[in-house]
């Protein structure tokens, strides 16, 4: 029992001198302070290690090493110290190490020293630099004291010199330049604390891939900017590009191709429309499935168009669903009209009747017209004269600048044709144009051709009823065609990253347009929007209301400006991007793009990246993190990045770092070298395990002796 009580008390017995290893921080930030303290660190029997980026044994604490690197790797120094089998480790440091430090298995006694005054310079790269883009390198100054300094920056933008008054803390400034290829930026910082230099290599990321359809001028401009440009004739799947530029008419693309573009936009791709002779509003895009994604809409500057459709509803129009297809085409005609355009439909068979008289194609007018058209029924003969006269009479009363009649029939006209032809000739003199359409092989082509001639219009031959919807789409393009303005149109800019540091000259051609409410107009000529941008789906969109084959031909900056538009379009939130930002509390990793529960793997462990915004995720690593980190989606690695190395001098409390390390190892923080001599000089042997072992041994011996001396008693019965 006495032995068990002694074991619970746990006394120790000093048996031999204590083995001490003193680890001296000789990194640049602690060099001077450690050297001043070194003469006071002589301890009997101690061994010494100097360390910076690597450790090295030294004979005495006053020995100076200049070949240990420019970093502070305390982890390697502690590993080297433990190989000497010490009873305790004394760490003399400023606590600004650059690697993760795990507490050793022996007590650490930490003696803090103050870091020397320092003014450092570092260069931070742009997050996602692209070729041809104007990028910015951030120059970061960190100072532990107030001082005067001169900063010299050298790079693609030339030599920049700044005289600075630096205060303790951080401050930064930018150095901007166009990135045409791999380049470097150099910073030289001169102050009473010495001369510091930093150098950064900047290279463009992978080339942005652009598909250009129907705009050769734009393709040449973008090729000059280093984009990977393809000019496919058709949209094919998958769309292997970040941006698709559309100078083609929507009518030239199939429904499947339009659906592919819609899907491309929804998944994070970007679209750019240009006003070629077949593009933008010339190409009927405002009537396509992508109409809501176009950031510009036509500006109504003319007096509108008045159009009356004289539609054959005779019995023969029931064959092959001619009437149904004609009505479907007429609906496209209505949907293509602008608010200031007037449309009417007069039907004829054995007699004439108005389906609806000419009315403005406002949203309400369109709804009413569509409903009335769907009620049309066929039957009877083919007498055109009365209907044609009604159409002319209705148009004379309109105040539109352009007046047209469109006659469509599939059979032979049964009433006298001469009065109709004379009326057409008279109407032409009054600026009412007549176009005629022959549908199928039985149509009265001779009459219709002569009617168009007398009416100053065009004769169209539509051989099959299936061609009617497309014919009406094309006729809508002709009837309600937007007119480009030719002249000299000065431009004004609105603030945006695309327009920064740009000054485009006047345009030679402009298509009157205005920015939609959800879009941002960037270029204006008076009240007309020339360039507007916005976001649609997960991608970005832009529309340019000028023909590049006729505008900006003599402007040297045209290629760079258009390249800036495409670069902005390519930087959609769906495009994967990652960057690491070193902050006082850790390394913040920011991920952007389409990811499903991404995770960040670093140093053999993983952590979830938490959503911080639309298509944006973040994670924070310990402040001493360095090396490579990998983003995982499922089990597959998606992106990797190199974490920024911790700087040698940092604005943090090194004393607190030392205290944490010492307490975690069972040691403590020292306040002066004198406390080193108060540490125990001999290594104590703990007696608890020996006392417990002896108590167990005596207990077993006692049981054994009892068994040897035990004599059984006889009992009388």
């Amino acid at each position: 029992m006495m032995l068990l009580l002694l074991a619970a008390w746990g006394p120790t017995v000093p048996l031999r001198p204590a083995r001490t290893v003193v680890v001296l921080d000789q990194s640049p930030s602690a060099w001077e302070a450690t050297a001043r303290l070194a003469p006071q660190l002589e301890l009997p029997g101690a061994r010494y290690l100097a360390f910076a980026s690597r450790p090295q044994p030294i004979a005495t604490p006053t020995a100076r090493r200049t070949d240990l690197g420019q970093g502070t790797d305390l982890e390697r120094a502690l590993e080297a110290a433990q190989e000497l089998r010490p009873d305790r480790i004394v760490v003399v440091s400023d606590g600004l190490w650059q690697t993760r430090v795990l507490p050793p298995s022996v007590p650490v006694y930490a003696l803090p020293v103050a870091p020397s005054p320092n003014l450092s310079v570092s260069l931070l790269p742009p997050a996602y630099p692209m070729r041809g883009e104007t990028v910015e390198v951030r120059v970061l100054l960190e100072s532990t004291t107030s001082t005067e300094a001169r900063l010299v920056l050298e790079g693609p933008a030339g030599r920049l010199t700044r005289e600075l008054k630096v205060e303790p803390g951080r401050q930064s400034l930018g150095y901007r330049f166009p990135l045409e290829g791999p380049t470097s930026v150099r910073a030289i910082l001169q102050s009473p604390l010495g001369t510091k230099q930093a150098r950064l290599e900047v290279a463009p990321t992978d080339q942005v891939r652009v598909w250009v359809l129907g705009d050769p001028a734009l393709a040449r401009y973008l090729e000059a900017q280093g984009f990977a440009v393809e000019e496919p004739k058709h949209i094919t799947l998958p769309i292997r590009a970040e941006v698709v530029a559309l100078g083609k008419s929507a009518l030239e693309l199939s429904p499947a191709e339009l659906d592919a573009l819609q899907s491309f936009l929804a998944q994070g791709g970007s679209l750019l429309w240009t006003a070629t002779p077949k593009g933008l509003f010339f190409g009927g895009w405002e009537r396509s499935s992508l109409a809501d994604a176009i950031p510009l809409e036509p500006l109504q500057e003319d007096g509108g168009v008045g159009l009356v459709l004289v539609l054959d509803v005779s019995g023969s129009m029931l064959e092959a669903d001619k009437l149904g297809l004609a009505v479907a085409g007429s609906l496209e005609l209505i949907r293509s009209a602008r608010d200031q355009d007037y449309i009417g439909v007069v039907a004829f068979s054995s007699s004439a009747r108005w389906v609806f008289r000419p009315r403005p194609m406002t949203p309400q007018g369109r709804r009413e017209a569509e409903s009335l058209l769907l009620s049309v029924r066929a039957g009877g003969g083919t007498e055109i004269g009365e209907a044609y006269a009604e159409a002319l009479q209705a148009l004379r009363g309109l105040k539109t600048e352009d007046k047209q009649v469109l006659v469509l029939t599939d059979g032979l006209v049964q009433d006298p044709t001469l009065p109709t032809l004379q009326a057409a000739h008279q109407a032409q003199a009054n600026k009412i144009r007549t176009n005629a359409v022959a549908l199928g092989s039985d149509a009265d082509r001779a009459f219709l051709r002569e009617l168009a001639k007398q009416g100053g219009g065009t004769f169209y031959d539509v051989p099959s009823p299936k061609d009617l919807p497309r014919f009406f789409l094309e006729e809508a393009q002709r009837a309600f065609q937007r007119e480009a303005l030719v002249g000299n149109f000065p431009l004004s800019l609105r603030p945006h990253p695309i327009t920064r540091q740009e000054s485009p000259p006047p345009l030679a051609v402009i298509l009157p347009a205005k920015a939609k409410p959800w879009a941002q107009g960037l270029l204006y000529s008076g009240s007309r929007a020339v360039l507007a941008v916005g976001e649609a789906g997960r991608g970005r969109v832009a529309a340019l209301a000028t023909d590049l084959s006729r505008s900006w031909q003599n402007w040297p900056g045209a290629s760079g400006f258009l390249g800036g538009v495409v670069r902005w379009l390519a930087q959609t939130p769906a495009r994967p991007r990652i960057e690491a930002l070193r902050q006082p509390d850790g390394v913040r990793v920011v991920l952007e793009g389409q990811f499903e529960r991404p995770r960040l793997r670093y140093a053999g462990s993983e952590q979830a990246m938490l959503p911080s915004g639309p298509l944006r995720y973040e994670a924070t690593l310990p402040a001493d993190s360095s090396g490579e980190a990998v983003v995982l989606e499922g089990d597959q690695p998606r992106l990797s990045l190199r974490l920024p190395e911790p700087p040698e001098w940092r604005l943090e409390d090194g004393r607190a770092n030392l205290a944490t390390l010492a307490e975690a190892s069972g040691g403590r923080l020292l306040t002066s070298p004198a406390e080193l001599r108060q540490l125990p000089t001999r290594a104590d042997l703990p007696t608890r395990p020996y006392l417990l072992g002896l108590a167990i041994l005596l207990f077993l011996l006692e049981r054994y002796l009892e068994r040897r001396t035990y004599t059984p008693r006889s009992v009388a019965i």
Side-chain angles (χ1 to χ4, degrees):
M1 291 298 296
M2 182 63 68
L3 289 173
L4 289 174
L5 290 174
L6 285 172
W9 176 36
T12 58
V13 178
L15 295 179
R16 59 174 174 76
R19 293 192 291 267
T20 302
V21 175
V22 181
V23 178
L24 299 165
D25 187 347
Q26 294 191 1
S27 64
S29 61
W31 172 273
E32 295 179 2
T34 301
R36 288 194 298 268
L37 205 61
Q40 305 177 53
L41 302 177
E42 293 280 1
L43 297 177
R47 303 179 70 175
Y48 299 93
L49 285 175
F51 79 96
S53 296
R54 62 183 180 84
Q56 180 67 38
I58 54 177
T60 66
T62 56
R64 308 286 294 272
R65 297 296 297 260
T66 59
D67 57 346
L68 302 180
Q70 299 298 308
T72 308
D73 192 343
L74 181 59
E75 179 72 18
R76 290 181 64 183
L78 291 177
E79 291 174 356
Q82 290 186 91
E83 291 176 0
L84 301 177
R85 304 180 63 83
D87 297 306
R88 58 179 175 239
I89 299 174
V90 176
V91 174
V92 181
S93 174
D94 59 7
L96 302 180
W97 46 76
Q98 296 173 286
T99 58
R100 183 178 301 180
V101 177
L102 298 176
S105 57
V106 297
V108 171
Y109 295 88
L111 182 60
V113 297
S116 58
N118 180 70
L119 174 60
S120 65
V121 60
S122 57
L123 298 174
L124 306 180
Y128 202 76
M130 289 192 290
R131 189 181 302 273
E133 180 184 19
T134 298
V135 300
E136 183 176 75
V137 170
R138 298 301 299 176
V139 183
L140 180 63
L141 305 178
E142 291 186 281
S143 179
T144 60
T145 186
S146 298
T147 185
E148 304 275 344
R150 168 178 287 188
L151 176 65
V152 179
L153 295 171
E154 298 174 345
R159 184 183 178 94
L160 172 68
T161 302
R162 296 279 298 273
E163 301 292 337
L164 303 172
K165 173 66 175 177
V166 183
E167 299 295 336
R170 290 186 177 91
Q171 67 183 77
S172 68
L173 53 91
Y175 181 75
R176 295 173 55 81
F177 57 90
L179 184 62
E180 303 298 342
T183 187
S184 64
V185 177
R186 182 182 178 213
I188 305 170
L189 185 64
Q190 299 171 326
S191 74
L193 300 176
T195 299
K196 302 292 179 62
Q197 296 190 27
R199 188 181 185 88
L200 177 68
E201 301 295 330
V202 182
T205 58
D206 58 320
Q207 283 184 304
V208 175
R209 296 165 295 179
V210 186
W211 283 8
V212 180
L213 286 83
D215 195 339
L218 175 63
R220 303 294 83 77
Y221 281 127
L222 297 182
E223 285 176 344
Q225 282 287 296
F227 292 99
V229 177
E230 294 183 38
E231 298 182 75
K233 296 184 180 299
H234 303 285
I235 299 294
T236 58
L237 293 177
I239 297 178
R240 301 186 183 280
E242 283 75 49
V243 179
V244 175
L246 298 164
K248 265 191 170 184
S249 166
L251 304 178
E252 297 181 57
L253 300 179
S254 67
E257 289 177 300
L258 293 173
D259 289 344
L261 290 174
Q262 187 79 53
S263 176
F264 173 69
L265 192 61
Q267 295 173 6
S270 294
L271 301 178
L272 166 63
W273 285 268
T274 58
T276 66
K278 292 185 177 181
L280 203 56
F281 311 133
F282 297 126
W285 283 100
E286 74 272 29
R287 300 187 306 280
S288 71
S289 58
L290 288 165
D292 292 340
I294 302 174
L296 287 178
E297 59 185 350
L299 188 61
Q300 301 169 0
E301 293 188 335
D302 58 39
V305 174
L307 185 148
V308 175
L309 172 63
V310 180
L311 179 63
D312 186 351
V313 293
S314 61
S316 61
M317 289 290 287
L318 291 171
E319 300 172 4
D321 196 26
K322 293 177 184 177
L323 182 59
L325 292 168
V327 168
S330 301
L331 291 174
E332 291 298 331
L333 197 68
I334 288 169
R335 292 163 186 158
S336 301
R338 302 161 295 176
D339 290 357
Q340 75 267 37
D341 296 326
Y342 284 71
I343 293 181
V345 178
V346 57
F348 69 92
S349 53
S350 299
S351 61
R353 67 179 180 85
W354 281 102
V355 179
F356 57 90
R357 291 184 178 275
R359 64 188 64 197
M361 289 295 99
T362 60
Q364 178 66 23
R366 288 192 187 92
R367 285 192 294 270
E368 293 173 355
E370 290 172 359
S371 177
L372 291 168
L373 260 177
L374 293 172
S375 67
V376 172
R377 298 293 180 266
T382 310
E383 298 183 11
I384 194 173
E386 181 185 356
Y388 184 70
E390 288 281 345
L392 294 179
Q393 182 64 31
L395 286 171
R396 290 189 188 101
L398 295 182
K399 296 181 179 180
T400 58
E401 296 178 359
D402 188 0
K403 300 177 183 181
Q404 306 176 28
V405 178
L406 180 62
V407 177
L408 184 149
T409 181
D410 72 332
L412 294 174
V413 176
Q414 297 172 349
D415 56 331
T417 59
L418 183 58
T420 302
L421 295 174
Q422 291 174 340
H425 182 74
Q426 183 62 38
Q428 181 190 7
N430 294 323
K431 297 183 179 180
I432 299 177
R433 187 169 68 255
T434 301
N435 300 314
V437 184
L439 175 60
S441 59
D442 297 331
D444 195 338
R445 282 176 171 72
F447 164 71
L448 293 172
R449 187 176 283 108
E450 186 63 24
L451 179 65
K453 179 180 178 182
Q454 294 296 324
T458 306
F459 168 72
Y460 300 103
D461 191 347
V462 179
S464 170
K466 294 180 179 179
D467 296 327
L468 277 175
R470 188 170 188 87
F471 164 76
F472 274 105
L473 273 173
E474 294 171 349
E475 180 60 20
Q477 257 324 96
R478 292 185 288 265
F480 309 120
Q481 183 175 5
R482 275 72 184 181
E483 295 292 336
L485 304 180
V486 179
N488 187 277
F489 303 97
L491 296 175
S492 60
L493 286 74
R494 302 291 191 273
H496 191 273
I498 292 175
T499 58
R500 189 166 48 192
Q501 295 185 345
E502 296 290 351
S503 182
L507 294 170
V509 179
I510 191 172
L511 179 60
K514 62 180 180 180
K516 289 183 178 177
W518 54 267
Q520 184 178 3
L522 304 186
L523 281 185
Y524 282 85
S525 179
S527 61
R528 306 182 188 103
V530 177
L531 173 64
V533 299
E535 297 190 357
R538 290 183 173 176
R540 289 177 169 179
V541 291
L544 183 64
T546 191
D547 183 357
L548 294 171
S549 67
R550 294 189 283 171
S551 290
W552 287 343
Q553 289 179 315
N554 298 318
W555 179 34
S559 180
F561 178 75
L562 295 168
V565 174
V566 171
R567 277 185 287 273
W568 181 86
L569 287 170
Q571 295 175 7
T572 67
R575 186 170 185 179
R577 286 178 286 181
I578 189 169
E579 62 178 333
L581 308 171
R582 185 165 293 281
Q583 298 179 333
D585 59 342
V587 178
R588 184 164 65 101
V589 180
V590 180
L591 174 69
E592 294 181 349
Q594 291 179 339
F595 291 90
E596 186 72 24
R597 293 190 292 275
R599 306 186 314 281
L600 186 66
R601 176 187 291 167
Y602 171 72
S605 62
E606 296 179 8
Q607 64 171 293
M609 301 197 73
L610 303 178
S612 60
L615 302 178
R616 182 183 175 97
Y617 306 86
E618 293 189 13
T620 301
L621 297 173
D624 56 0
S625 300
S626 61
E628 188 176 36
V630 179
V631 174
L632 303 173
E633 188 174 29
D635 296 329
Q636 299 299 318
R638 286 285 306 274
L639 293 172
S640 64
L641 80 160
R642 191 79 184 173
L643 302 177
E645 294 291 335
E648 170 63 18
W649 274 271
R650 298 189 302 283
L651 302 176
E652 63 181 73
D653 188 357
R655 188 182 184 89
N657 295 337
L658 289 167
T660 300
L661 172 64
E663 292 169 5
S665 65
R668 61 186 174 87
L669 188 70
L670 305 178
T671 58
S672 70
E675 292 186 58
L676 290 173
R677 291 167 178 78
Q678 298 172 9
L679 298 176
T681 58
R682 304 188 70 81
D684 293 331
L685 175 69
T687 60
R688 178 176 295 169
Y690 300 102
L691 292 173
L692 286 174
L694 183 59
I696 293 171
L697 181 62
L698 290 176
F699 175 77
L700 294 175
L701 179 62
E702 184 180 20
R703 299 284 78 74
Y704 173 75
L705 294 175
E706 286 179 355
R707 197 171 190 80
R708 289 286 303 270
T709 58
Y710 174 70
T711 303
R713 288 182 173 182
S714 59
V715 180
I717 300 177

